[in-house]
Amino acid sequence: MIRFGVLGSGKGSNFRALAEVFRAGTLGAQPVIVLSDLEHAGILDLGRKFEIPCHFIAPGPFRTKMSPEAEGEIVQLLREAQVDFVVLAGFMRVIKEPLLNAFPGRILNIHPSLLPAFPGLEAWRQAVEAGVPEAGCTVHLVDSGVDTGKILGQSRVPVLSGDTAESLHARIQIAEHELYPRIVREFAGHLLPRD
Ligand code: GRF
């Protein structure tokens, strides 16, 4: 069985989509731990509901990244949980060392745009403000940049006239909930199981 850990800061709808698909363990991969930098994040409540071990990690003094100590704690928990790879599901901090080095080429992220367009925050708002006819979401490997790693898969959604940032984000999220489990399944399928 391939084991993966999930990191998130938000309501956790992508984690929910993953947990619903993978929790039975019939796909050869399973989420085994959920970690958040926010004590009251919805993703932790969801993790408990799915009976997956959940932990809040105090992020330290920085706004956009975890302190090295906090990342060290994350690495330790992921190792203790014997995870093979890591899935970011709405994790709002940039990944640094030691986490990047602990799972090289084994950290996935989902971003709400057709990368390389609109990296960074509130990509759906950026798309509406730019007036593009099409938006979407991208699953990619995490490297030391912001939303720059190798692209593993994308889904497209139209931008409709009258769309607000919120209505476009809602449409993108529907696409995310189909794309992320599919790509995670493919990725896990290429890893060798431990047992
Ligand atoms: C998603 O739109 C994802 O693309 C971005 O953060 C959001 C997380 O949403 N990285 P949720 O917590 O999974 O609902």
Side-chain angles (χ1 to χ4, degrees), residues 2-6 15 18-19 22-23 29-34 52-53:
I2 297 287
R3 301 161 67 85
F4 61 94
V6 181
F15 163 66
L18 289 161
F22 286 98
R23 72 173 151 162
Q30 253 183 333
V32 294
I33 189 167
V34 179
I52 297 170

Side-chain angles (χ1 to χ4, degrees), residues 10-15 89-90 92 109-112 124 169 173 176:
K11 65 183 188 295
S13 69
N14 278 284
F15 163 66
M92 296 307 289
N109 182 42
I110 188 157
H111 181 78
W124 55 87
H169 188 208
Q173 286 229 283
E176 289 183 336

Side-chain angles (χ1 to χ4, degrees), residues 1-9 14-16 18-19 22 28-36 43-44 47 52-55 57 73-91 95 99 102-103 106-110 142 180 184 187-188 191 194:
M1 180 64 68
I2 297 287
R3 301 161 67 85
F4 61 94
V6 181
L7 271 61
S9 313
N14 278 284
F15 163 66
R16 181 201 293 273
L18 289 161
F22 286 98
Q30 253 183 333
V32 294
I33 189 167
V34 179
L35 305 175
S36 182
I43 194 170
L44 292 179
I52 297 170
C54 290
H55 301 265
I57 313 295
E73 211 180 314
I74 290 177
V75 169
Q76 195 186 334
L77 285 164
L78 292 170
R79 288 217 168 109
E80 283 169 10
Q82 298 186 300
V83 312
D84 298 289
F85 69 101
V86 180
V87 170
L88 305 185
F91 190 63
I95 305 297
L99 183 51
F103 294 93
R106 288 186 179 222
I107 305 177
L108 278 61
N109 182 42
I110 188 157
V142 173
Y180 216 2
V184 166
F187 185 83
L191 298 178
R194 287 169 186 278

Side-chain angles (χ1 to χ4, degrees), residues 44-82:
L44 292 179
D45 294 332
L46 267 177
R48 289 183 202 107
K49 217 174 107 191
F50 283 103
E51 298 183 338
I52 297 170
C54 290
H55 301 265
F56 157 65
I57 313 295
F62 310 107
R63 201 173 49 83
T64 58
K65 61 177 184 179
M66 306 287 284
S67 68
E69 296 74 23
E71 269 205 7
E73 211 180 314
I74 290 177
V75 169
Q76 195 186 334
L77 285 164
L78 292 170
R79 288 217 168 109
E80 283 169 10
Q82 298 186 300

